[in-house]
Amino acid sequence: MKNLMHLKLTIYALLFVVLTTCSDDDPVYYQLTTQVTPDQAGTIAPASGMFYEGTEIELKATPNAEYVFKNWTGDASGDDNPLKIIILEDKNITAVFEKVNYALTIDIIGEGTVNQELVLAKSSSTDYESGATVELTAVPDDQWKFVEWSGDHTGSENPIQLTMDKAMSITAKFEKVSYALTIETVGNGTVNEEIIQAKSTTDYDSGTTVQLTAIPDAGWMFVGWSGDHTATQNPIQITMDQAMSITAKFEINMSIPISIWVFGSGSVEKEWVGDPALGNSDIRLTAYAKEGSYFVYLHGIFDNALGDFLTTKNPIVFDLNDALMFQNADHLFLYAIFKEGVADKTYIPDDHFEQALIDLGYDDQLDDYVSTQVISRIEELDVSNLNIQDLSGIEDFLSLQMLTCNQNKLKNINLSNNHHLYKLFLQDNELSDLDLSALNSILFLDIRNNPLTCVQLNETLLEQIENPGLAIWMRDEDVEFSLDCGY
C-alpha cells in the first residue's frame, strides 16, 4: 500500500516537472489590427489577426480605383509599400489612401481667358481630385469671339462641364470678330477695296482699316457715299468695328447739268444711250412710279429763258448736242409729276363730259375713266353746249392749249396743271369763282355771262391786262382782276 502511494507521488512529481518545462517553451501570440482610411478606399493584406511573437509580416496596401496609397499611420509610419514589420507586441496600423489628382491644363489660342469653377481663373495647370466636376467658361476679350474647344474635349458649347477621370489638356480657341462690309453702287462705277479685290460682300477682322475708292465708268462721276458712312470725299478709310453697308453713288457726267424734282410717288433715272466714251451724247430719262401711283408728265425749264417743254413720253431721250434745244443753255430743270390712282387712268365723274370725249374719239366706254396718256396729248378741246356740270379731270389735259366750254353749267374749274393754255372760252356758265394764277400765257379769254365778281391772276397775267394790245380778254363790267380774290 505504501508502495502504491509512493508510486502516485512519483508520477505527480514527474507530471509537475513536465508541465513546468513545457510552459517555458510555448510561443507567445500578439494581436495585429489593420484598417484603411477613408473607408472603401483600398485594402490591406494580410488582414487583422493573431501572430506569434517575433513573426515577420509584409503588409501590402492596395488602393481601389481612383485612389492611391499615401502612407501608414498608427504603429507604423512612412510610405513604403509593402511594409515589413516584426510582431513583438500588439499593433494597430492604418493605411491612408487619397483620391487620384489629375492635372487640367488650359491653353489659349487668340485673346481671352477661361474661368474655372473651383479655382481662380487662370491658364496654367491645376490639379483636381478624381471625379471632381469642373466647369470651364471661355471669356473672349473685347472684339474677340470664342470659337471652340479642342484637345481632350471638342465642341463649341460654352460653358462646358468636365469630370476629372484622367489628366486633361484642353485648348480654348478665340478669333477676332469679323464684320461684313457690303458695298453697293447706284449708277455706273465700281468700288475698289484696299485689302482684297473688290467684290460685293467681304468680311474683315474687327479693327481692320479698309480704304474704299470709287471709280466711275466713262461718262459718269462719283457723287458721294451713303449708308453707314456718309461723305463726298474719295477715297475714304473706315475702321471695321461693326457690320457695315455702304453705297457709292454715281451720276451721269453731262456737259449740261440736269436737275430733277419729283412730285408724287416715283423716281426718275438717267442713263446713257450707247457708250459715252465713244462720244455718244444721248441721255435717256425713265420715270418709275411707285405702287399705287402712275407717271403723268415731265416738265422741263431751261435756265436761259429760251422756253420750256412738257412731255408725257416715258422714257424720253435727249441729245445733249442738240443745238436747237440746248443752245446757250447752262442748266435744265425737270419736274416729274406722279399721281395716285389707277395707272394711266383719269377719273371723269361727269357723264356728259366723258360722253363728249367718246364722241371726239378719245374714249370708248362710259365708265368714269379715260386714258391719261391719250388726254395728256390733246392740244385743243371744244365741249360747248353739252350740259356739263363738272370738268374734273381737265387737270390731266397737260398739253391743252385751247379750251372752249361755252354754254354749260360749270360752277368751278381747276386749271392749275394746264400750263400751256393760251385760249380759254367759258362764256355762259355758272362760275362764281375763277383762279387763273397758275397760267402764264392767256392771250384769248371770254368769261362773259357768269356770276363772277373777281378773277384771280398772277403778276404776268395782270401785266397783260394792263397792256390790252397783248391779249383779248372779254368779261362782264362788274368783274375785276386781282392778285388775291380771297379764294
Side-chain angles (χ1 to χ4, degrees), residues 380-396:
E380 183 174 353
L381 181 66
D382 188 344
V383 288
S384 297
N385 197 21
L386 293 175
N387 203 32
I388 298 173
Q389 301 182 38
D390 187 351
L391 214 61
S392 292
I394 195 67
E395 56 270 20
D396 283 348

Side-chain angles (χ1 to χ4, degrees), residues 82 114 148 188 322 411:
V114 175
E148 61 182 355
N188 288 21
D322 186 341
K411 296 181 181 297

Side-chain angles (χ1 to χ4, degrees), residues 36-58:
V36 298
T37 184
D39 293 337
Q40 309 301 321
T43 60
I44 298 177
S48 300
M50 299 294 294
F51 295 90
Y52 294 118
E53 181 182 21
T55 301
E56 184 178 77
I57 299 173
E58 184 177 85

Side-chain angles (χ1 to χ4, degrees), residues 272-289:
W272 289 105
V273 179
D275 188 352
L278 301 178
N280 192 298
S281 61
D282 288 349
I283 297 294
R284 179 188 291 114
L285 301 180
T286 305
Y288 295 96

Side-chain angles (χ1 to χ4, degrees), residues 6-7 15 44 50 52 74 98 177 180 199 219 224 243 249 252 329 335 372 393 457 468 483:
H6 187 268
L7 179 60
L15 286 172
I44 298 177
M50 299 294 294
Y52 294 118
E98 65 181 3
V177 176
K199 55 184 180 179
K249 184 177 182 180
I252 292 176
Y335 302 87
T372 304
L457 307 178
L483 295 176

Side-chain angles (χ1 to χ4, degrees), residues 248-261:
K249 184 177 182 180
F250 302 91
E251 287 188 355
I252 292 176
N253 188 13
M254 297 171 294
S255 56
I256 299 176
I258 298 179
S259 298
I260 300 176
W261 283 269

Side-chain angles (χ1 to χ4, degrees), residues 83 121 146 243 251 293 317 338 372 385 419 457:
L83 173 69
F146 170 72
E251 287 188 355
S293 297
V317 177
F338 297 88
T372 304
N385 197 21
H419 301 290
L457 307 178

